[in-house]
């Protein structure tokens, strides 16, 4: 008799686990698309430069428009995700980003390039608020850190394969075909999500369960601090990612292949570190201390790289270790935002703090470009160390104790 009673419960738990895996898989695929679309235009710059007869400054303006559009709309999109439903907003973002690239492929002009960049930025602002709202609502609490890490890893993977995929499309279909094919991925994934189905997340649904609950402002001191934290994270990584190769070549005598190998080690190890960080995030509630410890070690490693001319093998190893630690931080970073978000406001919370990334994306090229123009390649790494030290201090300041989290809940 006991087995008969227990059987339906076991099936129910298995069904719930299957639903969670399906949701995590589809949300991760959507995040893959977001990073793939981010790199689509830069990978096509040589083609666009030739076809549009413009310089790299004009092409760089498109990336600035992308970052500005994404930064301005992150918080409003988070509000819409919480009130209209995160799933609906996600589907719209996938279709909008894909449609913008398809339109550019069909009607290639500089004005359309700027418009495409603006629409891509708007579409990009959808993914963090919508994805994290759905994951926060529907993933098992005990495996939330691993869910966040898989989601982040999928995004890293989208950026990693973009150069090879775009190059293949360019060689087989031409520039116009590459834009159309890259764009078509968005609506196709939206169609897959719509057909397979994933659960929704919105504050409107929660409010029906607790009508008398007092309304909270989502602009809390904790989220304001985390927005600055995300800004510092962006600044500490952007210099290495964007200018690490030229800095190693001009300041440390590295060859092009050697500098590229060091950066590849940094980026590849970062993706692996994300998965390891998910396991760690599920076994601790001290996410701020995890982030602070990893960045403190990272700062020490990069300080050695900045101050000492290491042999190629040691530089590659140091960059790989630094990248791994940078990846480990990502799930703890996301858990800090989730812990600080008011009930039913995960979309808005992630939308607000993600503006820090966008501000960093606007500021960092100008800052580290100025550093390289002044022939100070050592300060590409030195500046990253300064931002990492500030990140350590802010991570410790934003740490919330388990008692504080319980009382907030």
């Amino acid at each position: 008799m006991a087995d008969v009673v227990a059987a339906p419960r076991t099936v129910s738990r298995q069904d719930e686990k299957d639903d969670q895996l399906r949701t995590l898989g589809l949300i991760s695929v959507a995040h893959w698309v977001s990073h793939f679309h981010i790199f689509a235009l830069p990978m096509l710059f040589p083609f666009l430069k030739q076809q549009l007869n413009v310089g790299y400054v004009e092409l760089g303006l498109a990336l600035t428009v992308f970052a500005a559009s994404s930064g301005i709309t992150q918080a409003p999109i988070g509000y819409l995700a919480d009130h209209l439903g995160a799933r609906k907003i996600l589907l719209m973002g996938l279709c909008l980003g894909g449609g913008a690239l398809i339109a550019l492929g069909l009607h290639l002009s500089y004005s359309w390039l700027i418009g495409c960049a603006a629409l891509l930025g708007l579409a990009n602002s959808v993914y963090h608020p919508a994805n994290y709202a759905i994951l926060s609502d529907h993933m098992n609490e005990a495996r939330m850190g691993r869910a966040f890490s898989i989601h982040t890893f999928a995004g890293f993977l989208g950026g990693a394969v973009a150069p090879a995929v775009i190059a293949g499309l360019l060689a087989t279909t031409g520039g116009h075909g590459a834009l159309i094919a890259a764009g078509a991925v968005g609506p196709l994934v939206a169609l897959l999500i719509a057909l397979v189905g994933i659960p929704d997340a919105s504050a409107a649904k929660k409010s029906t369960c607790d009508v008398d609950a007092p309304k909270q402002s989502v602009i809390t001191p904790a989220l304001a601090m985390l927005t600055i934290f995300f800004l510092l994270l962006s600044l500490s990584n952007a210099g290495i990612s964007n200018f690490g190769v030229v800095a190693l070549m001009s300041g440390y005598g590295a060859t092009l292949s050697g500098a590229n190998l060091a950066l590849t080690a940094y980026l590849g190890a970062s993706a692996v570190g994300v998965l390891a960080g998910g396991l760690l995030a599920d076994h601790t509630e001290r996410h701020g201390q995890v982030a602070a410890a990893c960045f403190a070690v990272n700062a020490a490693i990069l300080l050695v790289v900045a101050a000492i001319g290491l042999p190629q093998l040691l530089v590659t190893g140091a960059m790989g270790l630094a990248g791994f630690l940078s990846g480990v931080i990502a799930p703890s970073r996301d858990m800090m935002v989730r812990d600080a978000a008011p009930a039913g406001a995960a979309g808005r919370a992630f939308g607000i703090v993600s503006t820090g990334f966008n501000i960093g994306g606007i500021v960092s090229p100008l800052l580290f470009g100025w550093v390289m123009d002044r022939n100070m390649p050592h300060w590409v790494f030195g500046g990253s160390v300064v931002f990492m030290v500030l990140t350590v201090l802010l991570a410790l300041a934003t740490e919330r104790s388990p008692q504080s989290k319980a009382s907030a809940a």
Side-chain angles (χ1 to χ4, degrees):
M1 176 66 73
D3 291 339
V4 174
V5 173
R9 192 173 301 170
T10 303
V11 173
S12 177
R13 288 177 180 173
Q14 184 60 45
D15 289 345
E16 182 180 357
K17 185 177 181 180
D18 291 343
D19 289 342
Q20 290 179 3
L21 289 174
R22 182 172 63 252
T23 299
L24 175 59
L26 290 172
I27 291 295
S28 297
V29 171
H31 200 213
W32 183 97
V33 173
S34 77
H35 282 248
F36 178 73
H37 280 175
I38 287 172
F39 283 91
L41 286 182
M43 294 304 102
L44 287 167
F45 271 2
F47 164 77
L48 294 171
K49 184 177 186 296
Q50 182 181 19
Q51 292 292 310
L52 301 176
N53 194 27
V54 296
Y56 284 112
V57 172
E58 288 84 356
L59 294 175
L61 177 61
L63 299 185
T64 301
V65 169
F66 170 89
S69 174
S70 187
I72 292 170
T73 55
Q74 285 272 0
I77 290 296
Y79 177 87
L80 292 176
D82 283 336
H83 285 79
L84 298 181
R87 180 178 57 202
K88 185 185 302 182
I89 295 298
L90 175 59
L91 295 176
M92 292 170 62
L94 286 164
C95 293
L96 178 63
L101 287 172
I102 292 172
L104 182 62
L106 294 174
H107 184 83
L108 188 62
S109 68
Y110 184 71
S111 59
W112 274 89
L113 172 63
I114 298 300
C116 173
L119 292 176
L120 276 176
L122 175 58
N124 184 66
S125 70
V126 163
Y127 295 103
H128 277 194
N131 289 5
Y132 282 114
I134 293 172
L135 293 178
S136 295
D137 272 10
H138 299 289
M139 291 296 104
N140 187 304
E141 189 69 32
R143 294 189 289 271
M144 189 66 69
R146 277 165 284 184
F148 282 166
S149 71
I150 291 170
H151 171 262
T152 303
F153 176 79
F156 280 27
L157 185 62
V161 303
V165 173
I166 295 298
L169 290 172
L170 192 60
T172 56
T173 65
H176 294 270
L179 284 166
I180 294 171
V185 175
L188 288 175
V189 171
L191 179 61
L192 176 64
I193 291 175
L195 292 176
V196 176
I198 58 172
D200 204 354
S202 70
K205 291 183 178 180
K206 295 182 180 69
S207 65
T208 61
C209 301
D210 191 7
V211 178
D212 298 326
K215 292 185 177 180
Q216 302 181 52
S217 172
V218 73
I219 309 295
T220 63
L223 286 180
M225 293 283 280
L226 284 168
T227 303
I228 301 173
F229 178 70
F230 272 52
L231 169 61
L232 292 174
L233 280 175
S234 175
L235 291 173
S236 62
N237 286 316
I240 298 172
S241 299
N242 296 330
F243 293 91
V245 170
V246 293
L248 286 172
M249 292 176 65
S250 62
Y252 301 87
T255 62
L256 176 60
S257 60
N260 274 320
L261 179 61
L263 181 60
T264 300
Y266 180 86
L267 297 176
S270 181
V272 176
V274 167
L275 297 177
L279 291 171
L280 182 60
D282 280 337
H283 289 84
T284 181
E285 292 186 337
R286 299 289 185 178
H287 304 297
Q289 292 182 13
V290 170
C294 289
F295 254 107
V297 177
N298 231 351
I301 293 171
L302 289 177
L303 182 61
V304 172
V305 173
I308 303 174
L310 297 174
Q312 175 65 52
L313 184 62
L314 290 180
V315 169
T316 302
M319 291 286 282
L321 181 56
F324 179 82
L325 292 172
S326 293
V328 169
I329 293 165
S332 291
R333 169 203 76 192
D334 297 335
M335 292 295 286
M336 289 168 68
V337 179
R338 183 174 182 269
D339 289 340
R348 281 167 287 172
F350 278 99
I352 289 168
V353 300
S354 293
T355 59
F357 276 148
N358 298 116
I359 296 171
I362 296 171
V363 173
S364 60
L366 302 175
L367 174 62
F368 288 102
W370 180 86
V371 166
M372 288 303 300
D373 282 342
R374 296 300 181 277
N375 196 26
M376 298 186 294
H378 293 76
W379 275 101
V380 169
F381 299 98
S384 297
V385 170
V386 172
F387 289 125
M388 285 181 180
V389 171
L390 293 175
T391 305
V392 169
L393 298 176
L394 198 58
L396 294 174
T398 54
E399 175 69 277
R400 306 176 75 195
S401 67
Q403 292 84 359
S404 300
K405 295 172 189 175
S407 61

